[in-house]
């Protein structure tokens, strides 16, 4: 498949959210993690060579040449279901002909530009629906610059929605879009113009905590949020490797095993930082030594919104008010 294949018949890659490859021949096939990042790198290069070395840089602990071959092979296994394949270049890399696949990220700006001065509400709704998640969070192995044109076009789309709202016209799908990108000031300003009344979606909070009693306490404390709880690092990775909700924030325990010396919460915090999901560290105690210095070091290292202890330092009881206030600041108005 390539030269001579009508554009509408080429397999379509949706990456404004979790990556999905779809075609009439192969249905819909998701691709996550390194595989999604490799395919996106090839697509963004639009026919130019992607070296094996640059792919190695995307792998955990940089990987080996054999690991590059293995990961590209897994991507090819997905693409073959849709009648295409990544050819190996003689120059120690890979090149994906730019007429082989379509990509929503590259098509979105042109579709927004075509709206003109009197946008069709149906097309506006279809464009809003293309954003199934924040790619800056979902595809954290891909350089931010590759999303710039689509993000600029998204702002132009929001301006078009604002103009419709000023005319008293409602747009299908706006509520879902606005709740997904409520952190964007432009979306907030447009939402204030919404001509009808709508219920705002509940905030989505991820809790990473191994202690069952503490989990129940936190789930009760944040009963006004949609809660997802995972109990250890393996559960966390399984959740985030699939199609997780677009979390507004996370509350992460430092230790996730009964030994209380594993620091597995740090691994979750590093991953959440890459995904740009706001996060708070919770711990049973403050580290020994200079408390303020340790607090500042951990806050900077993981980009934390805050650090909370499980017990009040004065009487040993759970300081639910402090935790509630910290999470409310992190999540913002709901």
């Amino acid at each position: 498949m390539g030269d001579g294949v009508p554009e509408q018949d080429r397999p379509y890659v949706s990456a404004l959210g979790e990556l999905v490859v779809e075609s009439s021949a192969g249905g819909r096939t998701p691709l996550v993690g390194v595989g999604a990042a490799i395919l996106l790198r090839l697509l963004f290069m639009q026919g130019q060579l992607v070296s094996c070395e640059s792919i190695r840089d995307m792998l955990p602990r940089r990987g080996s040449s054999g690991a590059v071959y293995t990961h590209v092979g897994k991507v090819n296994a997905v693409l073959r279901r849709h009648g295409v394949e990544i050819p190996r270049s003689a120059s120690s890399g890979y090149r994906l002909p730019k007429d082989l696949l379509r990509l929503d990220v590259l098509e979105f700006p042109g579709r927004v530009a075509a709206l003109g001065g009197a946008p069709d509400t149906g097309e506006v709704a279809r464009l809003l629906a293309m954003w199934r998640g924040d790619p800056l969070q979902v595809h954290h192995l891909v350089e931010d610059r590759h999303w710039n044109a689509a993000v600029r076009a998204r702002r132009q789309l929001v301006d078009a929605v604002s103009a419709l709202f000023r005319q008293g016209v409602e747009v299908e799908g706006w509520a879902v879009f606005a709740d997904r990108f409520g952190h964007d000031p432009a979306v907030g300003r447009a939402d204030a113009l919404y001509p009808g009344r709508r219920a705002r979606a509940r905030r989505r909070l991820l809790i990473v905590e191994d202690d069952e009693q503490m989990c129940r306490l936190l789930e009760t404390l944040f009963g006004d949020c949609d809660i997802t709880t995972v109990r250890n690092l393996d559960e966390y990775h399984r959740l985030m490797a699939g199609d997780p909700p677009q979390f507004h924030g996370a509350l992460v325990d430092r230790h996730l095993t009964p030994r209380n010396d594993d620091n597995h919460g740090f691994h979750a915090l590093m991953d959440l930082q890459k995904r740009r999901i706001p996060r708070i560290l919770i711990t049973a105690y403050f580290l020994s030594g200079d408390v303020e210095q340790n607090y500042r070091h951990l806050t900077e290292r993981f980009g934390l919104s805050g650090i909370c202890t499980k017990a009040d330092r004065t009487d040993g009881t759970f300081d639910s008010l402090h935790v509630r206030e910290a999470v409310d600041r992190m999540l913002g108005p709901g």
Side-chain angles (χ1 to χ4, degrees):
M1 185 177 290
D3 291 340
V5 177
E7 183 177 2
Q8 66 271 18
D9 293 335
R10 296 172 190 161
Y12 191 79
V13 178
S14 303
L16 296 173
E18 295 290 338
L19 189 146
V20 177
V21 185
E22 51 189 322
S23 68
S24 57
R28 303 179 77 254
T29 311
L31 190 61
V32 299
V34 172
I38 290 172
L39 180 56
L40 285 169
R41 174 73 66 86
L42 288 161
L43 287 166
F44 285 137
M45 292 301 289
Q46 298 190 67
Q48 298 181 50
L49 180 73
V50 175
S51 70
C52 290
E53 283 299 303
S54 67
I55 295 177
R56 284 184 66 187
D57 291 338
M58 301 165 65
L59 304 183
R61 297 178 294 279
R62 201 168 183 271
S64 63
S65 297
V68 170
Y69 182 82
T70 298
H71 282 288
V72 173
K74 291 178 180 178
V75 177
N76 260 332
V78 170
L79 295 182
R80 287 190 196 104
R81 301 175 197 171
H82 302 273
V84 298
E85 187 171 355
I86 305 168
R88 179 71 182 266
S89 169
S91 305
S92 299
Y94 298 88
R95 192 191 313 270
L96 188 63
K98 61 181 179 180
D99 62 347
L100 210 58
L101 297 161
R102 296 169 58 200
L103 177 63
D104 61 351
V105 185
L106 299 179
E107 293 185 359
F108 180 78
R111 289 182 61 177
V112 172
L115 286 174
D120 174 74
T121 55
E123 177 64 1
V124 170
R126 286 187 287 272
L127 290 170
L128 290 174
M130 290 176 69
W131 292 82
R132 297 166 293 104
D134 187 343
L136 291 169
Q137 293 183 7
V138 177
H139 305 295
H140 54 83
L141 293 175
V142 178
E143 294 179 10
D144 289 0
R145 62 186 176 87
H146 290 301
W147 310 106
N148 288 345
V151 171
R152 285 195 297 270
R154 190 181 73 196
R155 296 194 186 106
Q156 295 168 9
L157 178 62
V158 170
D159 289 342
V161 171
S162 296
L164 290 170
F165 285 171
R166 291 189 185 95
Q167 299 169 29
V169 178
E170 297 190 30
V171 178
E172 183 180 355
W174 172 256
V176 173
F177 179 90
D179 290 328
R180 181 167 284 146
F181 297 102
H183 58 278
D184 185 335
V187 173
R189 289 192 294 270
D191 202 34
L193 300 171
Y194 188 80
R197 295 178 60 84
R198 69 176 183 85
R200 187 172 296 275
R202 285 156 59 93
R203 296 172 295 178
R204 292 178 290 274
L205 178 66
L206 172 63
I207 295 176
V208 185
E209 166 65 66
D210 66 314
D211 182 86
E212 184 177 355
Q213 183 177 357
M214 181 58 64
C215 285
R216 289 199 300 268
L217 194 155
L218 292 171
E219 289 168 356
T220 300
L221 182 62
F222 298 104
D224 58 331
C225 298
D226 286 334
I227 302 291
T228 298
T229 303
V230 295
R231 301 288 295 277
N232 55 55
L233 192 59
D234 287 342
E235 286 185 14
Y236 172 84
H237 285 313
R238 283 196 294 271
L239 170 69
M240 303 308 282
D243 187 13
Q246 295 294 308
F247 293 110
H248 294 97
L251 198 55
V252 181
D253 188 16
R254 181 183 177 195
H255 300 302
L256 300 176
T257 68
R259 297 193 312 271
N260 285 331
D261 61 356
D262 54 88
N263 287 332
H264 284 176
F266 287 173
H267 295 278
L269 288 171
M270 285 188 288
D271 184 66
L272 290 164
Q273 187 173 25
K274 292 176 183 177
R275 296 173 185 270
R276 292 178 171 80
I277 297 176
R279 53 222 163 265
I280 288 174
L281 170 67
I282 54 175
T283 182
Y285 55 88
F286 270 86
L287 303 177
S288 59
D290 188 328
V291 171
E292 290 188 6
Q293 183 177 348
N294 286 327
Y295 187 103
R296 184 168 56 252
H297 169 72
L298 290 172
T299 299
E300 293 174 355
R301 179 182 175 187
F302 299 111
L304 301 174
S305 298
I307 299 176
C308 296
T309 53
K310 294 182 181 180
D312 184 277
R313 281 176 287 171
T314 57
D315 61 10
T317 60
F318 179 71
D319 190 355
S320 58
L321 179 60
H322 176 219
V323 177
R324 178 79 224 199
E325 289 177 344
V327 171
D328 283 344
R329 285 194 301 270
M330 174 180 68
L331 297 179

